[in-house]
Amino acid sequence: MKELSMNILDILQNSANAGSKNVCLDILEDNSKDLIEFSVKDDGKGMDKEFLASVFDPFVTTSSTKKVGLGLPFLKIQAEMCNGGAEIESEPGKGTFVCFRFQCSHVDRPPMGDLAGTLTMMFTLHHKISFHFKYEKNGNLFELSTDQLKELMQDVPLSHPKVSKGIYEFINEQLKEL
């Protein structure tokens, strides 16, 4: 994938497919350390040690509709090519934690892409999941959770077209201000 936001979408979708009730996405961008890092932590079904050991193998997937799982393996290779790395931890019944790091200034580091669109899509399509998002950029912080949004909107669903448009615009503006 050409943008990190699409990789993040893939990982968030994996969390949703794993039956997560709570998903946290943290992004750290620190120019003084020449680092951009993102992690996703969920409380989904998790993975056993055997599957976890093969999760970066492109020919291993839990999907019943495809024979390969290229998302995580390619993202790991991309991170390593950009002087970064990947880590994953998981435990059955407790959830999964994934983290990817990139040298921020590396010429091959993918751009972030439409992160506001990715978040809006996940927030509005998976209304039963509590998402928490945190983006820290050079000491500035933006945090948002679907619990906050639901409380603010009361009885209006986040998937309502005007609400989802407002969520997108709000996230996009906050990210620009970072």
Side-chain angles (χ1 to χ4, degrees), residues 49-121:
K49 289 182 182 183
E50 182 179 299
F51 188 79
L52 183 62
S54 64
V55 78
F56 291 121
D57 181 337
F59 299 103
V60 173
T61 182
T62 58
S63 175
S64 60
T65 60
K66 55 186 180 177
K67 294 181 181 182
V68 294
L70 300 176
L72 291 177
F74 280 171
L75 183 58
K76 179 180 185 266
I77 290 168
Q78 204 167 32
E80 290 170 347
M81 288 175 39
C82 295
N83 299 326
E87 66 180 273
I88 186 165
E89 300 168 9
S90 190
E91 192 173 333
K94 296 198 176 179
T96 301
F97 170 82
V98 296
C99 182
F100 293 89
R101 289 173 301 285
F102 297 80
Q103 178 185 350
C104 202
S105 65
H106 197 283
V107 67
D108 292 324
R109 181 187 61 85
M112 182 56 71
D114 186 10
L115 185 58
T118 291
L119 293 171
T120 302
M121 185 182 315

Side-chain angles (χ1 to χ4, degrees), residues 15-16 18-24 41-45 126-132 146-147 150:
S15 294
S20 301
K21 293 188 178 9
N22 298 286
V23 177
C24 297
K41 183 176 184 356
D42 69 42
D43 62 356
K45 66 181 178 181
H126 297 285
H127 62 277
K128 292 183 179 181
I129 298 175
S130 177
F131 287 98
H132 186 268
T146 53
D147 294 339
K150 288 174 185 176

